[in-house]
Amino acid sequence: MMIEISSLLAKSGILASDHTSVVSMNLFVALLCACIVIGHLLEESRWMNESITALAIGLCTGVVILLTSGWKSSHLLVFSEDLFFIYLLPPIIFNAGFQVKKKQFFRNFMTIMMFGAVGTLISFIIVSLGAMHFFKKMNIGTLTIGDYLAIGAIFSATDSVCTLQVLNQDETPLLYSLVFGEGVVNDATSVVLFNAIQSFDLSHLNSGVALQLVGNFMYLFISSTVLGVLAGLLSAYIIKKLYFGRLVYKLNADELSLCFLFMKLDGDYINFYLNYGHSTDREVALMMLMAYLSYMLAELFYLSAILTVFFCGIVMSHYTWHNVTESSRVTTKHAFATLSFVAEIFIFLYVGMDALDIEKWRVVSDSPGKSAVVSSILLGLILLGRAAFVFPLSFLSNLTKKSPYDKVDLKQQVTVWWAGLMRGAVSMALAYNQV
C-alpha cells in the first residue's frame, strides 16, 4: 500500500517537489557556512566582511544557477515576505536593541529620534514629490498617488549595516550611535509610513486625509514603543519573581567543588547542582519567547513590530538581563548575536542572487535608457532627501549641546549622510509587498 501511495505521489510530482526543496535548502545552508568561513578568513581585510562576502558569493551562485538552469532563474529559494518579516527580521532588530550601548544611545536620543523619525519624514516627502514630478513627465506608466507615496516610503528605508562594519564603537562612539540608532528608527518609521499609506484611500487626497495619515503615524509610533517597553518590563518582573537561579549565589564554584570533595552537600545543594543548567535553559527560553511574543503582538494589533522588538531588546538588556544567572547572561548575549548574524548573512546571500534575477533584467533590457534615467533620478532624490535633513538637523542638535565632544562635526555629518544611501532588506521586502 505504501509503495502504491509513494508511486502515486511521485507521478503527481509531490515527492519530486519536496526533494527539490530539500536539495535547495542543503545548498543554501552550505553557502551560509561558506560565507562564514570565507568571511572569517578575510577578517583582517578592511574592505571585506561577512556581509560583503555573502553578497559576492550570492552573485557567483546566481551566475552558476543561471547557467545550469538555461537562463531561467538565479534563485535557490523563492523570496517570501513572511519569511523575512516573521523569521529573519525579529532577531536582527532585537539584537540591535539588546546589544546597544545604552549610555551613548540615550545620551544622543533626541538627535537619533530627529534623524530617524523627522528626517525620514523629510526624505519621504522629497522622494515622493520628486518621483511624482519627474515620472509624470517621463510617462513611465499609470502610477497612482499611493504608488508615489509608497516609492517615498520604500526609498526612505536605509540600510546602515555595511557602514557599521567599518566603524568602531569604541573609537567613534558618537558617530556609531548616530548611524546605528538612526538606521533602526528609520527602518521602523519607514514600515509605519508604508503601513499607514496602505490603510488609507488616497485617491482623493486632501487636508483631512493628510491629518489622518499623520495621526495614524503618531499612534503607531507611540503604541509600538509602549508595547515593546511593557513586554520588556513584564519579562523582567516574571523572571525576578520566579527567580529560576535563586540558589546561584549560595555557593561559588570553588566552594561547590570543595563541598563535593568532603561530601558535605545536603539535598538542596545537590538538587541545585543537578538542575542549575535547567534554570539557565528556562531563563534563556523565556527571554527569547517574550521578545518574539512582543514582535508578534505588534503584528497582531497592526503596529510597528520593528519598533516594538527594538525597545523590548533595550529594556530587556537593562532590566531582565540583570535578573538572570551569570550563565544565562553569557548564553543570551551570544545566542541573540548568533541568531542575528545568521539572519543577516541569509538576507545578504539572497540579495546577491536576486541581483541577477532574469525577469528583472528582461524588464530593464526592454528600455535600458529609461531604466538608467529612473535609477539616476531616484539616486539623486535620495541624496537630496538625506542632505535636506542631516545637515539642518545636525545644526539644530549642536545648538542644544554644551560639550564639543557631543556635537556632530562636519565630517561626522557627511558620514551620516553617506551611510544612509544604501538600501537593504527592509526596502526589498516593502517593494515586494507593493508589487
Side-chain angles (χ1 to χ4, degrees), residues 65-141:
I65 297 171
L66 272 176
L67 294 173
T68 54
S69 65
W71 298 91
K72 292 180 180 179
S73 174
S74 63
H75 298 141
L76 285 173
L77 301 173
V78 177
F79 181 84
S80 167
E81 186 189 342
D82 290 338
L83 171 68
F84 175 75
F85 276 107
I86 296 178
Y87 301 110
L88 296 178
L89 193 59
I92 296 174
I93 302 300
F94 176 79
N95 185 63
F98 194 78
Q99 303 286 359
V100 68
K101 288 195 173 182
K102 294 177 288 296
K103 185 178 179 181
Q104 274 294 331
F105 181 82
F106 287 107
R107 192 175 185 177
N108 303 296
F109 185 74
M110 288 308 298
T111 308
I112 288 170
M113 292 306 292
M114 284 169 64
F115 283 175
V118 179
T120 303
L121 285 172
I122 294 171
S123 178
F124 161 74
I125 292 169
I126 290 175
V127 174
S128 298
L129 292 178
M132 193 182 304
H133 174 75
F134 289 109
F135 292 172
K136 280 184 177 179
K137 289 184 176 181
M138 292 177 63
N139 192 27
I140 62 172

